[in-house]
Amino acid sequence: MSIHIAAKPGEIAEAILLPGDPLRAKFIAENFLENPALYTDVRNILGYTGTYKGRRVSVQGTGMGIPSISIYVNELFRDYGVKRAIRIGTAGSIREDIRLRDLVLAMSASTDSGANAVRFGGRHYAPTASFALLKTACEAALALGWAPKVGPVVSSDMFYTEDPEEWKLWAKFGCLALEMESAELYTLAAKYEREALCILTISDSLITHEQTTAEERQTTFTRMMEVALETAVS
Ligand code: HPA
């Protein structure tokens, strides 16, 4: 058992899906996995292991933001031997050609985070997805009939920024969407020599201020799940 995860050794699969919301982890376990078993509920961050197409897969919440995902992913890599971590989440579009409900595969994650500023002593690390997982997810999405948008995203430390137009600079330099976790996941995967990928659906637009409806979020979520699970067991 680690500090924030109550699993015994061997209870967590080598491949794990990481939604931010712990109730999403429960939903995925109950609707997509066979024989799911709860392995942790510390702080109501739920984690389950089951099988998908006969292969062991775990799913666990991470909470929102870099400090929270950092705690769980450090423990999953260091203490539980997780080899493949796939974050599934939502993001805000910062470009006109990235539309609501689009599926985005985060090739890299720029960040304004204090975490990497501290870790690298002011140097600028480039958090990058696993090419193997990225390729597999891209092919899985295309096979299911969905053309993903693949490119750089931004992992921001703040949802509510002082400058509401801050995102425009990132957009000018080619970033597709804003979210709050990928940079840390990719950095930790590199540190522990594991594989990581973030699969995102666009839930809102910072340009038009549109948001997806609850029903649309459910549909796009299911679609993202299929891509993530296919990638996890590949
Ligand atoms: N900003 C940061 N994270 C997000 C957003 C956003 O607009 N939408 C979904 N996750």
Side-chain angles (χ1 to χ4, degrees):
M1 184 174 160
S2 60
I3 296 175
H4 302 91
I5 303 173
K8 296 186 199 72
E11 283 186 330
I12 303 180
E14 286 186 356
I16 193 165
L17 304 190
L18 300 171
D21 179 352
L23 292 181
R24 282 237 164 123
K26 183 173 195 280
F27 179 88
I28 293 159
E30 289 173 353
N31 292 280
F32 292 89
L33 300 186
E34 292 119 40
N35 305 316
L38 182 77
Y39 63 73
T40 189
D41 62 358
V42 177
R43 289 178 178 247
N44 284 327
I45 293 287
L46 307 174
Y48 300 81
T49 298
T51 58
Y52 178 77
K53 297 190 174 172
R55 307 280 294 272
R56 273 181 102 222
V57 181
S58 294
V59 55
Q60 184 187 306
T62 63
M64 287 182 285
I66 282 174
S68 187
I69 195 170
S70 183
I71 288 171
Y72 295 103
V73 169
N74 260 293
E75 293 181 17
L76 289 168
F77 285 159
R78 190 194 60 191
D79 302 330
Y80 293 102
V82 165
K83 294 202 168 129
R84 241 168 301 136
I86 302 171
R87 165 171 144 68
I88 41 177
T90 56
S93 167
I94 55 174
R95 286 169 54 115
E96 274 172 19
D97 55 345
I98 305 296
R99 304 193 191 282
L100 289 195
R101 299 177 296 277
D102 274 359
L103 187 68
V104 171
L105 305 179
M107 190 155 70
S108 63
S110 291
T111 185
D112 56 22
S113 172
N116 269 358
V118 170
R119 185 181 274 130
F120 292 100
R123 297 169 186 85
H124 300 280
Y125 181 69
T128 308
S130 148
F131 177 71
L133 291 186
L134 183 66
K135 184 167 178 283
T136 303
C138 193
E139 287 166 357
L142 290 169
L144 290 161
W146 304 304
K149 305 273 170 69
V150 183
V153 303
V154 182
S155 302
S156 174
D157 263 359
M158 285 193 293
F159 189 89
Y160 299 107
T161 50
E162 292 303 322
D163 172 5
E165 306 217 320
E166 201 178 284
W167 58 270
K168 287 187 175 171
L169 184 65
W170 294 116
K172 195 171 155 187
F173 282 77
C175 298
L176 309 183
L178 286 185
E179 53 82 71
M180 303 184 72
E181 293 85 11
S182 301
E184 183 68 3
L185 175 61
Y186 289 177
T187 303
L188 289 172
K191 174 178 170 177
Y192 288 98
E193 298 181 58
R194 312 297 160 84
E195 290 188 291
L197 177 68
C198 292
I199 303 179
L200 304 160
T201 59
I202 299 298
S203 58
D204 56 281
S205 165
L206 279 86
I207 302 170
T208 63
H209 303 292
E210 297 169 281
Q211 292 190 344
T212 47
T213 63
E215 194 187 334
E216 285 169 335
R217 279 199 293 276
Q218 193 58 45
T219 313
T220 52
F221 177 71
T222 304
R223 182 174 80 161
M224 177 167 62
M225 279 314 313
E226 289 172 20
V227 175
L229 282 165
E230 290 298 327
T231 307
V233 302
S234 63

